[in-house]
Amino acid sequence: MLRGLNIEMEDPDFEAVKRMVDPDGSGQITYNEFVQTFGADIAGGMDAGLLGTGGAVAAESTSKMLPFKPPPDWSIKKITDTLTKVMTTKYKSVQAAFRTVDFDKSGEIDHGEFRRLMAGFNILMSDANFVKVMKVIDPDGSGVITYKEFNDRFGRAMYGSADDTKTLTGLNTSGDGK
């Protein structure tokens, strides 16, 4: 499950997480264990009475239990490979992926939308690493990723060839931002 969320960790860290969420070591996380572990973070310390106690969960914040590790620096290849793999299974075409990622339906993906896409697939990175990545994904430095730029970066990787931008309608494929 963690690999599906693109979460990688060393064995000792994984064992620490296992002990935290499954303190009785049964191999199953009960609702009670889940609320004990995450309730304070998710619902402000309350489980809405579902535990039968009607009240507060005496759980520490998970951020106090696990040591903070800054997000890793991602190479453009790793980002492209990871996004390509996920988008290929989720979308039928590059055009469908682009339209879904273009959250405000402007015909372009701004840097915030692209970062939101990456965060949705648990690709987290420092601001400095993100700036480096965007210099490759948005090569003209316009502040937006046009369909052409998106297609050039992901089209061939996703489907073996880039979409024919001349046949698409409703998308700015010229790369001129208009």
Side-chain angles (χ1 to χ4, degrees):
M1 180 175 135
L2 294 175
R3 187 170 290 131
L5 295 171
N6 202 31
I7 297 173
E8 297 178 19
M9 63 178 66
E10 301 294 321
D11 287 343
D13 292 334
F14 179 73
E15 290 302 319
V17 170
K18 252 178 38 178
R19 283 190 304 277
M20 182 181 69
V21 298
D22 184 22
D24 67 5
S26 68
Q28 296 182 336
I29 301 169
T30 65
Y31 176 77
N32 200 2
E33 288 171 328
F34 181 85
V35 171
Q36 293 278 334
T37 304
F38 299 108
D41 290 323
I42 296 172
M46 302 296 286
D47 83 332
L50 294 177
L51 285 177
T53 62
V57 176
E60 296 179 31
S61 170
T62 54
S63 61
K64 294 177 185 173
M65 297 173 151
L66 296 175
F68 172 75
K69 290 184 180 177
D73 282 347
W74 287 71
S75 70
I76 191 63
K77 180 177 179 357
K78 185 173 180 182
I79 290 170
T80 301
D81 290 350
T82 302
L83 288 177
T84 297
K85 179 179 164 187
V86 173
M87 289 190 297
T88 301
T89 59
K90 190 169 183 168
Y91 305 108
K92 293 181 181 182
S93 68
V94 178
Q95 182 181 10
F98 182 89
R99 287 182 184 224
T100 302
V101 175
D102 179 17
F103 298 109
D104 66 4
K105 306 303 178 208
S106 66
E108 301 168 322
I109 299 170
D110 65 37
H111 291 197
E113 289 171 318
F114 193 74
R115 192 157 201 169
R116 183 174 162 193
L117 165 74
M118 292 191 310
F121 295 122
N122 206 28
I123 300 173
L124 307 173
M125 64 184 67
S126 68
D127 291 341
N129 188 206
F130 183 75
V131 168
K132 289 177 191 173
V133 168
M134 290 317 301
K135 285 180 180 177
V136 176
I137 302 289
D138 177 21
D140 65 3
S142 64
V144 295
I145 302 164
T146 63
Y147 179 78
K148 181 178 182 335
E149 290 168 332
F150 187 86
N151 189 38
D152 287 349
R153 172 60 51 194
F154 297 105
R156 282 178 186 76
M158 287 173 72
Y159 299 103
S161 65
D163 280 348
D164 180 1
T165 57
K166 295 176 185 171
T167 65
L168 300 175
T169 58
L171 289 173
N172 173 13
T173 61
S174 67
D176 64 5
K178 296 179 185 174

